[in-house]
Amino acid sequence: MATVSPAVTGGPAAGLDPAYRNGLKAALMFGPIASDIAEAERIFDRTLAPHKGPFGPLVEHLRHYRGKRLRPALLLLTAEACGGVAPAHHTLAAAMEMIHTATLVHDDVLDEADVRRHAPTFRAGWGNKVSILLGDMLFTHAFHLTSTVDGRACQITGEVTNRVCAGELRQVTERGNLELSEADYFAVIDGKTAALTECCGRLGALYAGASEEVAAKMASYGRSVGLAFQIADDLLDLTGTEEAAGKTLGTDLEQQKLTLPVIHCLNRLPAGEAAKLRDLIRAGGEGLGARVLQALEKTQSVTYAKRRAEELSRSARQELECLPRGDARSILEAVTEWSIRREK
Amino acid sequence: MATVSPAVTGGPAAGLDPAYRNGLKAALMFGPIASDIAEAERIFDRTLAPHKGPFGPLVEHLRHYRGKRLRPALLLLTAEACGGVAPAHHTLAAAMEMIHTATLVHDDVLDEADVRRHAPTFRAGWGNKVSILLGDMLFTHAFHLTSTVDGRACQITGEVTNRVCAGELRQVTERGNLELSEADYFAVIDGKTAALTECCGRLGALYAGASEEVAAKMASYGRSVGLAFQIADDLLDLTGTEEAAGKTLGTDLEQQKLTLPVIHCLNRLPAGEAAKLRDLIRAGGEGLGARVLQALEKTQSVTYAKRRAEELSRSARQELECLPRGDARSILEAVTEWSIRREK
């Protein structure tokens, strides 16, 4: 296996505002759903435990892929706010995290990424072939987990993963399309990110006995948080530092994958300059990031993307107004802030 | 997209016994389940139809991956023999074929194969990245299809795909292990092939209202047919011709993937000769196939592997004795023969 280079072991504290990060972590991990998150993690581990025999180091390495627990936290907090967490929620939270992990493992193959969360990716350690099959295995275990709940959960999960995969496929087939529109961009991130957070909101509410109306609002909350989060993540790829992010950055431009600020910039620049910028992106190479950042500055495109993320964050917050006040709702509100202010 | 070279467009008739092939095709396609197979195909197509917009050529190319329809045929014939085909069977047959197709698309990435069924693979035409995501999409659509039946179908399907993926992963992690035992080999093919045919037998019986006892026998039938089929397929990779098989052959040895005859041979050869053969396999290169075939001849290992496949085929046939006599049972019996006599 590839060893972890010192350059990527700076630790999670590097470059972050510790108060903010710890505050969120505490809120998520030690708030009203701390024991529920722990139970979802036990289910995640127990599900894969039978594979420890033949694939011990692989299963062990999965812990490096477990980061923010955003999806299980959203599902469990929504459940808590909508009437209370039930055993089905723990299983579904584990399944959602497993689906997310499956997409990460495959994403690393697609992005040829070697580092994630300060650790080598499966791809770096075991190669693409093992990564493909491990991702498949995580997908199927997630579906099997869901099937232990009931048929409706399977249907909702099946629908959402259909959307996730279509979004991911669209992203790959749109690579190199330097005429990508904002609408196309939103179609991609709707699938690859927002579909799953939307599903977490819906499942959390439905299995807590919420009405279809409340479940729709929680689904919309999850979708907006997911979109905002992805816009922020894409900004990070352009403007962040690898040390703080704990993963390879700048890959979007390198792979000619246009994200919101770049699309906005290309639309705002005079035609001649936009054509030049497209040529630069097409040519790639050293210094491309800095050149693109200059152009983004000129058209205020980072500001624009931040504003779009803030609008989504606000709209997510509004959906929460139907919920009773309490800790769970407060944390869901905090998540709308965090999703756009995150630095990793 | 890669063009199809004339070398691989010899057509399906090349090198086969047309009477046998057409007889089987007729039996499968125009026998008592002809209209059911057609309905399962319509469901398969309808499921992917919404993707024709963004991914038209991809969805279109899937027809090259639809070959023998062994899995839907097994499921529908079992259903017919156990009491009659119901709408759930059509959906489940489409889902099983979709799972199988997903594994083929990913297998082509793992095997770096450029030709399948006389046509270029997705990998050859669109690259590995698109192939990975297309495979994922087929998996999730299959699960979603299953969820339109009921929770039990999802559970059975989830269990079987867990086994399929574990078998595939084991196969990849065992590559280059030239000490692989027969038990290891059977563990791999149990997962990668027999789990799904077993599932087809079980689902066919259960959703026709068969008793658990009959369903267990049909599952065992499917498993044995799958194992026999895979042994025959692995033999084909060693002894067949690419023209007849319509796909790249010799990949197992090239990838240091030991199959039954080679394992038997290595166990039977005197230690010194076995060590030499392992060195040859490790070194790879031109002429390896011919050298291995010489060694297999010496230890009668092709004969041995054929015998093992025949035993499984007989054992599958015995499981059918609990069924009422009729066309469906007769074809299921014929499938046990065909699984080991197939040339492609």
Side-chain angles (χ1 to χ4, degrees):
Chain A
M1 220 202 77
T3 53
V4 187
S5 92
V8 295
T9 51
L16 290 178
D17 173 353
Y20 194 83
R21 187 175 51 78
N22 293 338
L24 177 79
K25 192 178 167 192
L28 286 182
M29 299 302 292
F30 308 113
I33 54 146
S35 65
D36 299 305
I37 286 271
E39 178 58 17
E41 302 223 330
R42 271 192 295 275
I43 294 171
F44 189 109
D45 290 340
R46 205 165 53 217
T47 302
L48 299 174
H51 297 296
K52 275 200 177 161
F55 315 122
L58 276 177
V59 173
E60 173 59 25
H61 192 73
L62 273 172
R63 70 189 166 82
H64 293 294
Y65 275 63
R66 297 165 83 167
K68 296 173 281 288
R69 277 90 167 166
L70 172 63
R71 291 149 195 88
L74 281 183
L75 192 150
L76 294 165
L77 286 164
T78 313
E80 179 68 16
C82 288
V85 176
H89 288 116
H90 299 132
T91 303
L92 293 169
M96 293 302 118
E97 185 68 359
M98 208 170 272
I99 289 167
H100 175 57
T101 310
T103 64
L104 294 184
V105 173
H106 281 183
D107 277 354
D108 288 338
V109 178
L110 304 176
D111 295 342
E112 297 166 24
D114 291 331
V115 179
R116 176 180 288 278
R117 290 179 187 145
H118 303 282
T121 58
F122 279 103
R123 178 188 173 277
W126 285 269
N128 286 341
K129 294 176 186 184
V130 166
S131 302
I132 294 170
L133 291 172
L134 178 69
D136 290 353
M137 204 165 84
L138 291 167
F139 265 127
T140 74
H141 273 285
F143 282 111
H144 183 243
L145 260 182
T146 311
S147 77
T148 64
V149 176
D150 61 19
R152 184 174 63 162
C154 292
Q155 236 173 322
I156 295 172
T157 304
E159 272 160 25
V160 75
T161 48
N162 287 350
R163 259 171 79 193
V164 170
C165 291
E168 295 258 0
L169 186 55
R170 179 116 185 232
Q171 175 163 279
V172 165
T173 55
E174 294 288 11
R175 269 185 200 175
N177 174 7
L178 301 187
E179 307 285 343
L180 197 78
S181 72
E182 259 195 43
D184 293 333
Y185 169 79
F186 275 99
V188 166
I189 71 169
D190 176 78
K192 78 170 206 169
T193 309
L196 202 54
T197 49
E198 176 183 321
C199 181
C200 290
R202 173 169 290 124
L203 291 172
L206 282 179
Y207 285 83
S211 67
E212 289 289 339
E213 194 193 349
V214 169
K217 281 180 188 291
M218 293 305 100
S220 166
Y221 164 85
R223 179 170 181 272
S224 295
V225 164
L227 292 172
F229 178 93
Q230 190 57 53
I231 294 172
D233 199 61
D234 290 344
L235 270 167
L236 193 68
D237 191 73
L238 281 167
T239 64
T241 66
E242 297 203 356
E243 201 185 4
K247 60 180 181 180
T248 314
L249 292 182
T251 54
D252 290 344
L253 276 177
E254 208 175 277
Q255 295 164 5
Q256 302 188 19
K257 210 160 82 181
L258 295 196
T259 57
L260 188 56
V262 181
I263 294 167
H264 177 263
C265 176
L266 287 167
N267 289 339
R268 286 299 169 95
L269 285 176
E273 287 182 48
K276 261 191 209 154
L277 188 57
R278 284 196 179 91
D279 287 343
L280 272 175
I281 295 172
R282 218 168 274 123
E286 284 284 318
L288 171 63
R291 298 286 292 275
V292 170
L293 283 178
Q294 275 172 11
L296 297 181
E297 181 63 32
K298 188 171 176 182
T299 50
Q300 298 283 295
S301 298
V302 170
T303 309
Y304 169 77
K306 281 186 177 165
R307 201 178 66 237
R308 292 298 304 265
E310 278 160 16
E311 286 164 9
L312 286 159
S313 161
R314 262 200 305 282
S315 131
R317 201 184 169 103
Q318 280 164 9
E319 302 289 11
L320 298 174
E321 283 168 13
C322 66
L323 296 179
R325 290 195 185 282
D327 284 355
R329 173 170 159 181
S330 301
I331 302 170
L332 287 170
E333 284 169 357
V335 168
T336 66
E337 293 296 317
W338 166 82
S339 66
I340 53 173
R341 301 211 196 288
R342 52 195 286 276
E343 294 182 44
K344 63 170 271 186
Chain B
M1 220 204 73
T3 51
V4 188
S5 91
V8 295
T9 51
L16 287 179
D17 173 352
Y20 193 82
R21 188 175 52 76
N22 292 338
L24 179 79
K25 193 179 165 192
L28 286 182
M29 298 302 291
F30 308 113
I33 54 148
S35 67
D36 300 303
I37 286 270
E39 177 58 17
E41 303 223 329
R42 271 193 294 275
I43 294 172
F44 189 109
D45 289 340
R46 205 164 56 216
T47 302
L48 299 174
H51 298 295
K52 275 201 178 159
F55 316 121
L58 274 177
V59 173
E60 173 60 26
H61 193 72
L62 273 172
R63 69 189 165 83
H64 293 294
Y65 275 62
R66 296 166 83 168
K68 295 174 283 285
R69 280 89 166 166
L70 173 64
R71 289 149 197 87
L74 280 183
L75 193 150
L76 294 165
L77 286 165
T78 312
E80 179 67 16
C82 289
V85 176
H89 289 115
H90 300 131
T91 304
L92 293 170
M96 293 302 117
E97 186 68 358
M98 209 171 269
I99 289 167
H100 174 58
T101 310
T103 65
L104 294 184
V105 173
H106 281 184
D107 276 354
D108 288 339
V109 177
L110 304 177
D111 294 343
E112 296 166 25
D114 292 331
V115 179
R116 176 179 290 278
R117 289 177 187 148
H118 303 282
T121 58
F122 281 103
R123 178 187 173 275
W126 286 269
N128 286 340
K129 294 175 186 184
V130 166
S131 302
I132 293 170
L133 291 171
L134 177 68
D136 289 354
M137 203 165 87
L138 290 168
F139 265 126
T140 75
H141 274 285
F143 281 112
H144 183 244
L145 259 184
T146 311
S147 78
T148 64
V149 176
D150 63 18
R152 184 174 64 160
C154 292
Q155 235 172 324
I156 294 172
T157 305
E159 272 160 25
V160 75
T161 48
N162 287 350
R163 259 171 78 194
V164 170
C165 291
E168 294 257 1
L169 185 54
R170 178 115 186 235
Q171 177 164 278
V172 165
T173 55
E174 295 287 12
R175 270 185 200 175
N177 174 7
L178 302 187
E179 307 286 342
L180 197 79
S181 70
E182 260 195 44
D184 293 334
Y185 169 78
F186 275 98
V188 166
I189 69 169
D190 176 79
K192 77 169 208 173
T193 309
L196 202 54
T197 48
E198 177 184 322
C199 182
C200 289
R202 174 171 289 123
L203 291 172
L206 282 178
Y207 285 83
S211 67
E212 289 289 339
E213 194 194 350
V214 169
K217 280 179 187 291
M218 292 305 100
S220 166
Y221 164 85
R223 179 169 182 271
S224 295
V225 164
L227 292 172
F229 178 92
Q230 190 57 54
I231 294 172
D233 200 59
D234 290 343
L235 269 168
L236 193 68
D237 192 73
L238 281 167
T239 64
T241 67
E242 296 203 355
E243 200 184 6
K247 61 181 181 181
T248 314
L249 292 182
T251 54
D252 291 342
L253 276 177
E254 210 176 275
Q255 295 165 5
Q256 303 187 16
K257 211 161 81 181
L258 296 195
T259 55
L260 189 56
V262 181
I263 294 167
H264 177 264
C265 178
L266 287 167
N267 289 339
R268 285 300 169 95
L269 285 175
E273 287 181 47
K276 261 191 206 153
L277 187 58
R278 287 195 176 91
D279 287 345
L280 272 174
I281 295 172
R282 218 169 271 123
E286 285 282 320
L288 172 62
R291 298 287 292 274
V292 170
L293 283 177
Q294 275 171 11
L296 296 181
E297 179 65 32
K298 189 173 172 181
T299 51
Q300 297 283 296
S301 297
V302 170
T303 308
Y304 169 78
K306 282 187 176 165
R307 201 179 65 236
R308 292 299 303 267
E310 279 159 15
E311 285 163 10
L312 285 159
S313 160
R314 262 200 306 280
S315 130
R317 200 183 169 105
Q318 280 164 8
E319 301 290 11
L320 299 174
E321 283 170 13
C322 66
L323 298 179
R325 292 195 182 281
D327 283 357
R329 173 171 159 181
S330 299
I331 302 170
L332 287 170
E333 284 170 356
V335 167
T336 67
E337 293 295 316
W338 167 82
S339 66
I340 53 173
R341 302 211 193 287
R342 53 196 284 277
E343 295 182 44
K344 60 171 268 187

